[in-house]
Amino acid sequence: DLGEPKVEPPAIVGLTDAGMLGVLRLSADSRRVWSLLRSVLTSEQRGELDAFVEELQSEVGISLQNDVLGNLDGHAFVVAYGLAPGEHTAADWLTLGATREALVVGVVDRKPIRRALDAWTQLSKGRLQVQRTKSNRQEWAWFDDGVIQWTAMLGPNVLMVVDGRVPLEAARRWEVSPATLAPSLAERGVGGLLAGRARSGAYVDLAALRPTFGELLDGFIPGLKSATVFVERDSEGLEVTRVRLTTGPSER
């Protein structure tokens, strides 16, 4: 029901790291995904979001549907490098507040996306600021009480948002020296998750979550270390779900 992406996904292997917490992928129609995400918000959150979208349209003539969603290619990746400090609620996990990550969204035409971010800069009352501009990339940073909360980077074919030092460093390394997939990640099936034939799925390093969810994990499969799950189309066009689990000695 979420439709199809427009093109092949961007190559994000260079953002991965053998020690990362996980990767989430969603490849679908951008407008349908937006409608789904909006539907799970509270009425107050939807009201705030709709007010902002209307302000973009009325104040600077930016259409969310046409200028923004219409110029996204339908591929989105979340690369989580680790946990954020402190205790986390279920809402934190759902809104990415529990992790430090890079959100990568594929872009078809970067010019309307850049106009939208520049317009947001004008409307944010100084909270969103341009940080650096190069010939093929521009950066913006969002400030709360003088502290950077996240950084957005717009390149030729991707928009990336990072929320900490580690993902920011990974993003900048990827720009100048893309890496290959670590052998341990290849063994865990991450290459298939990132490939063009895959649709959507996730990889999680469950061993890294054991301090928080160890009892739950051992109640499911003792010694479970990682899980990779994704959907892909086979040679006949049928959707196939692939699951790879890695295990080790139980902690119990």
Side-chain angles (χ1 to χ4, degrees), residues 21 82-84 86-90 93 98 205-218:
L21 185 62
L83 296 175
E87 299 292 327
H88 306 296
T89 65
W93 287 98
D205 182 353
L206 295 170
L209 296 178
R210 190 163 290 281
T212 304
F213 301 108
E215 185 174 349
L216 175 63
L217 294 174
D218 276 342

Side-chain angles (χ1 to χ4, degrees), residues 24-44:
L24 176 67
R25 173 180 179 172
L26 179 60
S27 295
D29 182 285
S30 299
R31 292 185 174 92
R32 295 190 188 185
V33 172
W34 173 265
S35 296
L36 174 64
L37 294 177
R38 182 184 176 279
S39 71
V40 302
L41 298 176
T42 66
S43 58
E44 181 180 358

